[in-house]
Amino acid sequence: MKSYDYLIIGGGIIGLSIARELKNRFPNQSICILEKESDIAQHSSGRNSGVLHAGFYYTANSLKARFTRDGNQEMTKYCEENGLKINKCGKLVVATNEAEVQGLIELKKRAEKNGVDLRWLDESEVHLVDQNVKTYKKALYSPTTSSVNPTEVCLTIKAEVIKKGVDIFCNTHYRGKSNEGINTNNGIFTCNYFINAAGLYADKIAKDFQFGEKYTIIPFKGIYLKYEKNKTDVKTNVYPVPNLANPFLGVHFTKTVDESIKIGPTAIPAFWRENYSGFKNFKFNEFYQILFYEAKLFIKNAFNFRSLAFEEMKKYMKSYFIALSLKMVKKVDEKGFGDFMRPGIRAQLLNKETLELVQDFVVEGDHRSFHVLNAVSPGFTCAFPFSRYVVDEIMEKQGKRKDIKENIL
């Protein structure tokens, strides 16, 4: 039996950042991360686009608006200070018609409210950023959008927290909560405080602690196509105007940290939580539960799920997928794309009562445990400020913030 002050489930960017924040505040407290895979960042944290978003998509009263703006600055600084690769290539958001120009206007309003640098470009000015990009009348340029290697970032944080004394146990599966503590395949772990940052399984673990009862995770599969002809046909990230009613940004060009070009991602409804390819990691209970809710969404057509599902499934056809990207550029070689890249799964929280996809961060907890139920995209960008928020909330739940304030006074 191993005992700690703080025990964290999940070795992704969120779990690692929470451990880092806790250790920075309380260097003498014992902290442990349990990760079921052979190393950290094997799921969303290591399979995301690597884009550091600027923070102009989100409404001003949302946690995502604040955390994305601040997280972009902090993660950029962290990469620079630690000698990590970062591609400060910026981002263009382009329109294809008058209705989408109105969408650009809404994004500019949100950027101004969120304190994010986002600049208008006329159609004639877009070529100054990238000569191959086309737009209708106007475009928006984000100079602070960058690309990093997400796995490299996570491994650097891992090395940092281990150096500071955090224990990380990989190949350690959560098997449930008991009176003795947290049961795993590697024995029982006890703790003064339990933190659930399990991503795709956060909702299931939360229910063992009587939290997250009105939510469930609906997984969406994200796949990219790499442009293999060259690294020069597109010079910046190029995004369409998104449908702000749902959390997906549409097929876009991503400029990676090594200057490569890829298009994507999809947002294809998956049928179990780790439905990456074939029947690997298939679990019947997950399949049954997820299919139940996806069928419910399909029948009721909540948030236009029916059309979303059909549209996303069509993206398995490479020709259709590529055609969507061609609307944003003057010329790329349609035959220059390779195979689909390694897929990722987005852990998207669904409110079972309202049948809405939850678009902001959701956390629940008490004086004994805390649960990160929704750290949806751009969770990677938001990781550092979000982890401060989480630790602040934990201190509040434990009554420690009051103690700290009293000691200061």
Side-chain angles (χ1 to χ4, degrees), residues 307-339:
S307 57
L308 173 68
F310 283 130
E311 172 67 20
E312 292 300 320
M313 293 299 287
K314 283 158 62 178
K315 292 175 185 174
Y316 273 128
M317 296 185 294
K318 282 179 64 176
S319 59
Y320 179 76
F321 197 25
I322 292 168
L324 293 174
S325 71
L326 299 179
K327 298 176 183 179
M328 299 177 286
V329 293
K330 295 172 184 175
K331 186 177 181 181
V332 295
D333 186 352
E334 295 179 46
K335 297 179 180 178
F337 291 91
D339 295 327

PDB file of all heavy atoms in Angstrom, residues 307-339:
ATOM      1  N   SER A 307     -27.073  15.432 -39.322  1.00  0.00           N
ATOM      2  CA  SER A 307     -26.305  15.950 -40.465  1.00  0.00           C
ATOM      3  C   SER A 307     -24.817  15.948 -40.160  1.00  0.00           C
ATOM      4  O   SER A 307     -23.991  15.695 -41.045  1.00  0.00           O
ATOM      5  CB  SER A 307     -26.783  17.354 -40.836  1.00  0.00           C
ATOM      6  OG  SER A 307     -26.682  18.228 -39.734  1.00  0.00           O
ATOM      7  N   LEU A 308     -24.449  16.229 -38.894  1.00  0.00           N
ATOM      8  CA  LEU A 308     -23.042  16.189 -38.495  1.00  0.00           C
ATOM      9  C   LEU A 308     -22.461  14.795 -38.698  1.00  0.00           C
ATOM     10  O   LEU A 308     -21.368  14.634 -39.266  1.00  0.00           O
ATOM     11  CB  LEU A 308     -22.890  16.606 -37.024  1.00  0.00           C
ATOM     12  CG  LEU A 308     -21.496  16.446 -36.411  1.00  0.00           C
ATOM     13  CD1 LEU A 308     -20.511  17.420 -37.028  1.00  0.00           C
ATOM     14  CD2 LEU A 308     -21.539  16.627 -34.899  1.00  0.00           C
ATOM     15  N   ALA A 309     -23.205  13.775 -38.272  1.00  0.00           N
ATOM     16  CA  ALA A 309     -22.724  12.393 -38.401  1.00  0.00           C
ATOM     17  C   ALA A 309     -22.537  12.005 -39.863  1.00  0.00           C
ATOM     18  O   ALA A 309     -21.515  11.432 -40.243  1.00  0.00           O
ATOM     19  CB  ALA A 309     -23.701  11.439 -37.712  1.00  0.00           C
ATOM     20  N   PHE A 310     -23.531  12.338 -40.702  1.00  0.00           N
ATOM     21  CA  PHE A 310     -23.417  12.007 -42.132  1.00  0.00           C
ATOM     22  C   PHE A 310     -22.249  12.744 -42.776  1.00  0.00           C
ATOM     23  O   PHE A 310     -21.480  12.176 -43.549  1.00  0.00           O
ATOM     24  CB  PHE A 310     -24.720  12.359 -42.868  1.00  0.00           C
ATOM     25  CG  PHE A 310     -25.830  11.364 -42.653  1.00  0.00           C
ATOM     26  CD1 PHE A 310     -27.100  11.782 -42.284  1.00  0.00           C
ATOM     27  CD2 PHE A 310     -25.601  10.001 -42.834  1.00  0.00           C
ATOM     28  CE1 PHE A 310     -28.126  10.866 -42.085  1.00  0.00           C
ATOM     29  CE2 PHE A 310     -26.632   9.080 -42.646  1.00  0.00           C
ATOM     30  CZ  PHE A 310     -27.886   9.509 -42.268  1.00  0.00           C
ATOM     31  N   GLU A 311     -22.122  14.031 -42.442  1.00  0.00           N
ATOM     32  CA  GLU A 311     -21.044  14.843 -43.017  1.00  0.00           C
ATOM     33  C   GLU A 311     -19.675  14.299 -42.615  1.00  0.00           C
ATOM     34  O   GLU A 311     -18.760  14.196 -43.440  1.00  0.00           O
ATOM     35  CB  GLU A 311     -21.196  16.300 -42.540  1.00  0.00           C
ATOM     36  CG  GLU A 311     -20.050  17.223 -42.896  1.00  0.00           C
ATOM     37  CD  GLU A 311     -19.908  17.475 -44.383  1.00  0.00           C
ATOM     38  OE1 GLU A 311     -20.890  17.259 -45.131  1.00  0.00           O
ATOM     39  OE2 GLU A 311     -18.805  17.877 -44.806  1.00  0.00           O
ATOM     40  N   GLU A 312     -19.530  13.924 -41.338  1.00  0.00           N
ATOM     41  CA  GLU A 312     -18.235  13.448 -40.863  1.00  0.00           C
ATOM     42  C   GLU A 312     -17.892  12.077 -41.439  1.00  0.00           C
ATOM     43  O   GLU A 312     -16.740  11.808 -41.764  1.00  0.00           O
ATOM     44  CB  GLU A 312     -18.220  13.417 -39.334  1.00  0.00           C
ATOM     45  CG  GLU A 312     -18.265  14.786 -38.688  1.00  0.00           C
ATOM     46  CD  GLU A 312     -17.085  15.661 -39.070  1.00  0.00           C
ATOM     47  OE1 GLU A 312     -15.960  15.137 -39.152  1.00  0.00           O
ATOM     48  OE2 GLU A 312     -17.295  16.862 -39.318  1.00  0.00           O
ATOM     49  N   MET A 313     -18.871  11.209 -41.562  1.00  0.00           N
ATOM     50  CA  MET A 313     -18.608   9.878 -42.117  1.00  0.00           C
ATOM     51  C   MET A 313     -18.120   9.971 -43.567  1.00  0.00           C
ATOM     52  O   MET A 313     -17.306   9.168 -44.014  1.00  0.00           O
ATOM     53  CB  MET A 313     -19.869   9.012 -42.042  1.00  0.00           C
ATOM     54  CG  MET A 313     -20.298   8.652 -40.610  1.00  0.00           C
ATOM     55  SD  MET A 313     -19.057   7.701 -39.705  1.00  0.00           S
ATOM     56  CE  MET A 313     -19.211   6.112 -40.513  1.00  0.00           C
ATOM     57  N   LYS A 314     -18.608  10.983 -44.303  1.00  0.00           N
ATOM     58  CA  LYS A 314     -18.177  11.163 -45.692  1.00  0.00           C
ATOM     59  C   LYS A 314     -16.687  11.476 -45.785  1.00  0.00           C
ATOM     60  O   LYS A 314     -16.060  11.267 -46.821  1.00  0.00           O
ATOM     61  CB  LYS A 314     -18.993  12.288 -46.345  1.00  0.00           C
ATOM     62  CG  LYS A 314     -20.399  11.878 -46.734  1.00  0.00           C
ATOM     63  CD  LYS A 314     -21.325  13.075 -46.872  1.00  0.00           C
ATOM     64  CE  LYS A 314     -20.909  14.038 -47.946  1.00  0.00           C
ATOM     65  NZ  LYS A 314     -21.870  15.163 -48.084  1.00  0.00           N
ATOM     66  N   LYS A 315     -16.104  11.957 -44.682  1.00  0.00           N
ATOM     67  CA  LYS A 315     -14.686  12.339 -44.699  1.00  0.00           C
ATOM     68  C   LYS A 315     -13.754  11.133 -44.699  1.00  0.00           C
ATOM     69  O   LYS A 315     -12.544  11.292 -44.848  1.00  0.00           O
ATOM     70  CB  LYS A 315     -14.379  13.263 -43.522  1.00  0.00           C
ATOM     71  CG  LYS A 315     -15.050  14.625 -43.653  1.00  0.00           C
ATOM     72  CD  LYS A 315     -14.843  15.498 -42.431  1.00  0.00           C
ATOM     73  CE  LYS A 315     -15.637  16.793 -42.544  1.00  0.00           C
ATOM     74  NZ  LYS A 315     -15.563  17.603 -41.319  1.00  0.00           N
ATOM     75  N   TYR A 316     -14.306   9.929 -44.523  1.00  0.00           N
ATOM     76  CA  TYR A 316     -13.493   8.728 -44.717  1.00  0.00           C
ATOM     77  C   TYR A 316     -13.072   8.590 -46.188  1.00  0.00           C
ATOM     78  O   TYR A 316     -12.127   7.863 -46.502  1.00  0.00           O
ATOM     79  CB  TYR A 316     -14.265   7.481 -44.284  1.00  0.00           C
ATOM     80  CG  TYR A 316     -14.136   7.141 -42.808  1.00  0.00           C
ATOM     81  CD1 TYR A 316     -15.268   6.937 -42.019  1.00  0.00           C
ATOM     82  CD2 TYR A 316     -12.888   7.007 -42.213  1.00  0.00           C
ATOM     83  CE1 TYR A 316     -15.155   6.615 -40.671  1.00  0.00           C
ATOM     84  CE2 TYR A 316     -12.765   6.683 -40.869  1.00  0.00           C
ATOM     85  CZ  TYR A 316     -13.901   6.490 -40.098  1.00  0.00           C
ATOM     86  OH  TYR A 316     -13.780   6.170 -38.776  1.00  0.00           O
ATOM     87  N   MET A 317     -13.816   9.277 -47.092  1.00  0.00           N
ATOM     88  CA  MET A 317     -13.441   9.283 -48.500  1.00  0.00           C
ATOM     89  C   MET A 317     -12.392  10.372 -48.703  1.00  0.00           C
ATOM     90  O   MET A 317     -12.686  11.564 -48.535  1.00  0.00           O
ATOM     91  CB  MET A 317     -14.665   9.548 -49.383  1.00  0.00           C
ATOM     92  CG  MET A 317     -15.734   8.468 -49.313  1.00  0.00           C
ATOM     93  SD  MET A 317     -17.075   8.779 -50.485  1.00  0.00           S
ATOM     94  CE  MET A 317     -17.801  10.276 -49.825  1.00  0.00           C
ATOM     95  N   LYS A 318     -11.190   9.974 -49.060  1.00  0.00           N
ATOM     96  CA  LYS A 318     -10.094  10.931 -49.179  1.00  0.00           C
ATOM     97  C   LYS A 318     -10.401  12.047 -50.171  1.00  0.00           C
ATOM     98  O   LYS A 318     -10.080  13.212 -49.924  1.00  0.00           O
ATOM     99  CB  LYS A 318      -8.802  10.206 -49.592  1.00  0.00           C
ATOM    100  CG  LYS A 318      -8.116   9.471 -48.476  1.00  0.00           C
ATOM    101  CD  LYS A 318      -6.866   8.748 -48.950  1.00  0.00           C
ATOM    102  CE  LYS A 318      -5.808   9.693 -49.448  1.00  0.00           C
ATOM    103  NZ  LYS A 318      -4.557   8.994 -49.815  1.00  0.00           N
ATOM    104  N   SER A 319     -11.032  11.698 -51.282  1.00  0.00           N
ATOM    105  CA  SER A 319     -11.317  12.709 -52.305  1.00  0.00           C
ATOM    106  C   SER A 319     -12.234  13.804 -51.765  1.00  0.00           C
ATOM    107  O   SER A 319     -12.046  14.995 -52.045  1.00  0.00           O
ATOM    108  CB  SER A 319     -11.941  12.051 -53.536  1.00  0.00           C
ATOM    109  OG  SER A 319     -13.147  11.379 -53.187  1.00  0.00           O
ATOM    110  N   TYR A 320     -13.225  13.402 -50.981  1.00  0.00           N
ATOM    111  CA  TYR A 320     -14.151  14.378 -50.386  1.00  0.00           C
ATOM    112  C   TYR A 320     -13.437  15.219 -49.340  1.00  0.00           C
ATOM    113  O   TYR A 320     -13.606  16.449 -49.279  1.00  0.00           O
ATOM    114  CB  TYR A 320     -15.338  13.640 -49.762  1.00  0.00           C
ATOM    115  CG  TYR A 320     -16.332  14.558 -49.097  1.00  0.00           C
ATOM    116  CD1 TYR A 320     -17.227  15.310 -49.866  1.00  0.00           C
ATOM    117  CD2 TYR A 320     -16.379  14.683 -47.714  1.00  0.00           C
ATOM    118  CE1 TYR A 320     -18.137  16.172 -49.267  1.00  0.00           C
ATOM    119  CE2 TYR A 320     -17.291  15.541 -47.106  1.00  0.00           C
ATOM    120  CZ  TYR A 320     -18.165  16.275 -47.890  1.00  0.00           C
ATOM    121  OH  TYR A 320     -19.060  17.123 -47.304  1.00  0.00           O
ATOM    122  N   PHE A 321     -12.640  14.566 -48.522  1.00  0.00           N
ATOM    123  CA  PHE A 321     -11.879  15.219 -47.468  1.00  0.00           C
ATOM    124  C   PHE A 321     -10.961  16.295 -48.066  1.00  0.00           C
ATOM    125  O   PHE A 321     -10.925  17.444 -47.606  1.00  0.00           O
ATOM    126  CB  PHE A 321     -11.065  14.148 -46.733  1.00  0.00           C
ATOM    127  CG  PHE A 321     -10.531  14.549 -45.391  1.00  0.00           C
ATOM    128  CD1 PHE A 321     -11.124  15.530 -44.629  1.00  0.00           C
ATOM    129  CD2 PHE A 321      -9.415  13.903 -44.878  1.00  0.00           C
ATOM    130  CE1 PHE A 321     -10.626  15.877 -43.382  1.00  0.00           C
ATOM    131  CE2 PHE A 321      -8.907  14.226 -43.626  1.00  0.00           C
ATOM    132  CZ  PHE A 321      -9.515  15.218 -42.884  1.00  0.00           C
ATOM    133  N   ILE A 322     -10.244  15.929 -49.103  1.00  0.00           N
ATOM    134  CA  ILE A 322      -9.315  16.848 -49.748  1.00  0.00           C
ATOM    135  C   ILE A 322     -10.069  18.007 -50.389  1.00  0.00           C
ATOM    136  O   ILE A 322      -9.637  19.169 -50.322  1.00  0.00           O
ATOM    137  CB  ILE A 322      -8.463  16.097 -50.800  1.00  0.00           C
ATOM    138  CG1 ILE A 322      -7.522  15.109 -50.103  1.00  0.00           C
ATOM    139  CG2 ILE A 322      -7.665  17.074 -51.655  1.00  0.00           C
ATOM    140  CD1 ILE A 322      -6.855  14.109 -51.040  1.00  0.00           C
ATOM    141  N   ALA A 323     -11.217  17.709 -51.009  1.00  0.00           N
ATOM    142  CA  ALA A 323     -12.004  18.745 -51.684  1.00  0.00           C
ATOM    143  C   ALA A 323     -12.408  19.859 -50.720  1.00  0.00           C
ATOM    144  O   ALA A 323     -12.456  21.042 -51.101  1.00  0.00           O
ATOM    145  CB  ALA A 323     -13.238  18.132 -52.332  1.00  0.00           C
ATOM    146  N   LEU A 324     -12.702  19.513 -49.472  1.00  0.00           N
ATOM    147  CA  LEU A 324     -13.073  20.524 -48.483  1.00  0.00           C
ATOM    148  C   LEU A 324     -11.939  21.511 -48.231  1.00  0.00           C
ATOM    149  O   LEU A 324     -12.170  22.709 -48.043  1.00  0.00           O
ATOM    150  CB  LEU A 324     -13.475  19.850 -47.164  1.00  0.00           C
ATOM    151  CG  LEU A 324     -14.755  19.024 -47.164  1.00  0.00           C
ATOM    152  CD1 LEU A 324     -14.930  18.297 -45.837  1.00  0.00           C
ATOM    153  CD2 LEU A 324     -15.971  19.912 -47.441  1.00  0.00           C
ATOM    154  N   SER A 325     -10.722  20.997 -48.245  1.00  0.00           N
ATOM    155  CA  SER A 325      -9.573  21.865 -47.966  1.00  0.00           C
ATOM    156  C   SER A 325      -9.260  22.790 -49.135  1.00  0.00           C
ATOM    157  O   SER A 325      -8.708  23.879 -48.953  1.00  0.00           O
ATOM    158  CB  SER A 325      -8.342  21.019 -47.637  1.00  0.00           C
ATOM    159  OG  SER A 325      -7.852  20.354 -48.790  1.00  0.00           O
ATOM    160  N   LEU A 326      -9.607  22.369 -50.354  1.00  0.00           N
ATOM    161  CA  LEU A 326      -9.252  23.136 -51.546  1.00  0.00           C
ATOM    162  C   LEU A 326      -9.974  24.474 -51.625  1.00  0.00           C
ATOM    163  O   LEU A 326      -9.550  25.374 -52.365  1.00  0.00           O
ATOM    164  CB  LEU A 326      -9.546  22.316 -52.804  1.00  0.00           C
ATOM    165  CG  LEU A 326      -8.787  20.985 -52.943  1.00  0.00           C
ATOM    166  CD1 LEU A 326      -9.192  20.276 -54.227  1.00  0.00           C
ATOM    167  CD2 LEU A 326      -7.285  21.219 -52.895  1.00  0.00           C
ATOM    168  N   LYS A 327     -11.051  24.631 -50.873  1.00  0.00           N
ATOM    169  CA  LYS A 327     -11.814  25.881 -50.891  1.00  0.00           C
ATOM    170  C   LYS A 327     -11.006  27.047 -50.320  1.00  0.00           C
ATOM    171  O   LYS A 327     -11.326  28.208 -50.562  1.00  0.00           O
ATOM    172  CB  LYS A 327     -13.104  25.723 -50.082  1.00  0.00           C
ATOM    173  CG  LYS A 327     -14.065  24.669 -50.610  1.00  0.00           C
ATOM    174  CD  LYS A 327     -15.262  24.516 -49.681  1.00  0.00           C
ATOM    175  CE  LYS A 327     -16.205  23.419 -50.162  1.00  0.00           C
ATOM    176  NZ  LYS A 327     -17.367  23.245 -49.239  1.00  0.00           N
ATOM    177  N   MET A 328      -9.957  26.722 -49.537  1.00  0.00           N
ATOM    178  CA  MET A 328      -9.226  27.768 -48.817  1.00  0.00           C
ATOM    179  C   MET A 328      -7.905  28.149 -49.460  1.00  0.00           C
ATOM    180  O   MET A 328      -7.235  29.080 -49.000  1.00  0.00           O
ATOM    181  CB  MET A 328      -8.979  27.303 -47.373  1.00  0.00           C
ATOM    182  CG  MET A 328     -10.262  27.046 -46.583  1.00  0.00           C
ATOM    183  SD  MET A 328      -9.928  26.420 -44.925  1.00  0.00           S
ATOM    184  CE  MET A 328      -9.423  24.737 -45.297  1.00  0.00           C
ATOM    185  N   VAL A 329      -7.505  27.431 -50.497  1.00  0.00           N
ATOM    186  CA  VAL A 329      -6.214  27.709 -51.135  1.00  0.00           C
ATOM    187  C   VAL A 329      -6.389  27.808 -52.644  1.00  0.00           C
ATOM    188  O   VAL A 329      -7.345  27.291 -53.218  1.00  0.00           O
ATOM    189  CB  VAL A 329      -5.176  26.610 -50.807  1.00  0.00           C
ATOM    190  CG1 VAL A 329      -4.804  26.639 -49.326  1.00  0.00           C
ATOM    191  CG2 VAL A 329      -5.676  25.228 -51.214  1.00  0.00           C
ATOM    192  N   LYS A 330      -5.431  28.486 -53.279  1.00  0.00           N
ATOM    193  CA  LYS A 330      -5.489  28.653 -54.717  1.00  0.00           C
ATOM    194  C   LYS A 330      -5.085  27.379 -55.447  1.00  0.00           C
ATOM    195  O   LYS A 330      -5.678  26.994 -56.441  1.00  0.00           O
ATOM    196  CB  LYS A 330      -4.586  29.815 -55.136  1.00  0.00           C
ATOM    197  CG  LYS A 330      -5.050  31.156 -54.592  1.00  0.00           C
ATOM    198  CD  LYS A 330      -4.034  32.253 -54.859  1.00  0.00           C
ATOM    199  CE  LYS A 330      -4.472  33.559 -54.222  1.00  0.00           C
ATOM    200  NZ  LYS A 330      -3.437  34.617 -54.379  1.00  0.00           N
ATOM    201  N   LYS A 331      -4.054  26.726 -54.909  1.00  0.00           N
ATOM    202  CA  LYS A 331      -3.590  25.521 -55.587  1.00  0.00           C
ATOM    203  C   LYS A 331      -2.756  24.647 -54.664  1.00  0.00           C
ATOM    204  O   LYS A 331      -1.804  25.113 -54.046  1.00  0.00           O
ATOM    205  CB  LYS A 331      -2.751  25.894 -56.816  1.00  0.00           C
ATOM    206  CG  LYS A 331      -2.347  24.696 -57.667  1.00  0.00           C
ATOM    207  CD  LYS A 331      -1.584  25.127 -58.902  1.00  0.00           C
ATOM    208  CE  LYS A 331      -1.215  23.916 -59.752  1.00  0.00           C
ATOM    209  NZ  LYS A 331      -0.443  24.304 -60.963  1.00  0.00           N
ATOM    210  N   VAL A 332      -3.139  23.396 -54.547  1.00  0.00           N
ATOM    211  CA  VAL A 332      -2.279  22.340 -54.006  1.00  0.00           C
ATOM    212  C   VAL A 332      -2.506  21.107 -54.879  1.00  0.00           C
ATOM    213  O   VAL A 332      -3.521  21.008 -55.571  1.00  0.00           O
ATOM    214  CB  VAL A 332      -2.582  21.996 -52.511  1.00  0.00           C
ATOM    215  CG1 VAL A 332      -2.273  23.163 -51.595  1.00  0.00           C
ATOM    216  CG2 VAL A 332      -4.007  21.509 -52.343  1.00  0.00           C
ATOM    217  N   ASP A 333      -1.574  20.199 -54.825  1.00  0.00           N
ATOM    218  CA  ASP A 333      -1.668  18.989 -55.640  1.00  0.00           C
ATOM    219  C   ASP A 333      -2.585  17.980 -54.949  1.00  0.00           C
ATOM    220  O   ASP A 333      -2.253  17.463 -53.884  1.00  0.00           O
ATOM    221  CB  ASP A 333      -0.272  18.395 -55.828  1.00  0.00           C
ATOM    222  CG  ASP A 333      -0.268  17.212 -56.795  1.00  0.00           C
ATOM    223  OD1 ASP A 333      -1.363  16.759 -57.194  1.00  0.00           O
ATOM    224  OD2 ASP A 333       0.834  16.749 -57.138  1.00  0.00           O
ATOM    225  N   GLU A 334      -3.750  17.729 -55.533  1.00  0.00           N
ATOM    226  CA  GLU A 334      -4.700  16.791 -54.920  1.00  0.00           C
ATOM    227  C   GLU A 334      -4.093  15.401 -54.762  1.00  0.00           C
ATOM    228  O   GLU A 334      -4.514  14.633 -53.899  1.00  0.00           O
ATOM    229  CB  GLU A 334      -5.973  16.708 -55.769  1.00  0.00           C
ATOM    230  CG  GLU A 334      -6.757  18.006 -55.819  1.00  0.00           C
ATOM    231  CD  GLU A 334      -7.998  17.891 -56.688  1.00  0.00           C
ATOM    232  OE1 GLU A 334      -8.711  16.876 -56.516  1.00  0.00           O
ATOM    233  OE2 GLU A 334      -8.243  18.783 -57.511  1.00  0.00           O
ATOM    234  N   LYS A 335      -3.122  15.071 -55.602  1.00  0.00           N
ATOM    235  CA  LYS A 335      -2.478  13.764 -55.508  1.00  0.00           C
ATOM    236  C   LYS A 335      -1.262  13.783 -54.576  1.00  0.00           C
ATOM    237  O   LYS A 335      -0.583  12.772 -54.416  1.00  0.00           O
ATOM    238  CB  LYS A 335      -2.049  13.297 -56.901  1.00  0.00           C
ATOM    239  CG  LYS A 335      -3.227  13.084 -57.850  1.00  0.00           C
ATOM    240  CD  LYS A 335      -2.750  12.640 -59.229  1.00  0.00           C
ATOM    241  CE  LYS A 335      -3.930  12.437 -60.182  1.00  0.00           C
ATOM    242  NZ  LYS A 335      -3.480  12.053 -61.541  1.00  0.00           N
ATOM    243  N   GLY A 336      -1.029  14.943 -53.957  1.00  0.00           N
ATOM    244  CA  GLY A 336       0.140  15.077 -53.086  1.00  0.00           C
ATOM    245  C   GLY A 336      -0.095  14.645 -51.656  1.00  0.00           C
ATOM    246  O   GLY A 336       0.827  14.690 -50.832  1.00  0.00           O
ATOM    247  N   PHE A 337      -1.338  14.203 -51.357  1.00  0.00           N
ATOM    248  CA  PHE A 337      -1.655  13.774 -49.991  1.00  0.00           C
ATOM    249  C   PHE A 337      -1.356  12.295 -49.814  1.00  0.00           C
ATOM    250  O   PHE A 337      -1.577  11.486 -50.715  1.00  0.00           O
ATOM    251  CB  PHE A 337      -3.126  14.049 -49.675  1.00  0.00           C
ATOM    252  CG  PHE A 337      -3.455  15.509 -49.557  1.00  0.00           C
ATOM    253  CD1 PHE A 337      -3.875  16.232 -50.675  1.00  0.00           C
ATOM    254  CD2 PHE A 337      -3.336  16.166 -48.348  1.00  0.00           C
ATOM    255  CE1 PHE A 337      -4.169  17.576 -50.581  1.00  0.00           C
ATOM    256  CE2 PHE A 337      -3.632  17.519 -48.245  1.00  0.00           C
ATOM    257  CZ  PHE A 337      -4.050  18.222 -49.361  1.00  0.00           C
ATOM    258  N   GLY A 338      -0.855  11.945 -48.610  1.00  0.00           N
ATOM    259  CA  GLY A 338      -0.549  10.556 -48.308  1.00  0.00           C
ATOM    260  C   GLY A 338      -1.721   9.862 -47.646  1.00  0.00           C
ATOM    261  O   GLY A 338      -2.890  10.182 -47.895  1.00  0.00           O
ATOM    262  N   ASP A 339      -1.421   8.926 -46.763  1.00  0.00           N
ATOM    263  CA  ASP A 339      -2.459   8.173 -46.062  1.00  0.00           C
ATOM    264  C   ASP A 339      -2.954   8.945 -44.840  1.00  0.00           C
ATOM    265  O   ASP A 339      -2.333   9.912 -44.396  1.00  0.00           O
ATOM    266  CB  ASP A 339      -1.905   6.811 -45.622  1.00  0.00           C
ATOM    267  CG  ASP A 339      -1.558   5.928 -46.809  1.00  0.00           C
ATOM    268  OD1 ASP A 339      -2.257   6.022 -47.844  1.00  0.00           O
ATOM    269  OD2 ASP A 339      -0.583   5.158 -46.712  1.00  0.00           O
TER     270      ASP A 339
END
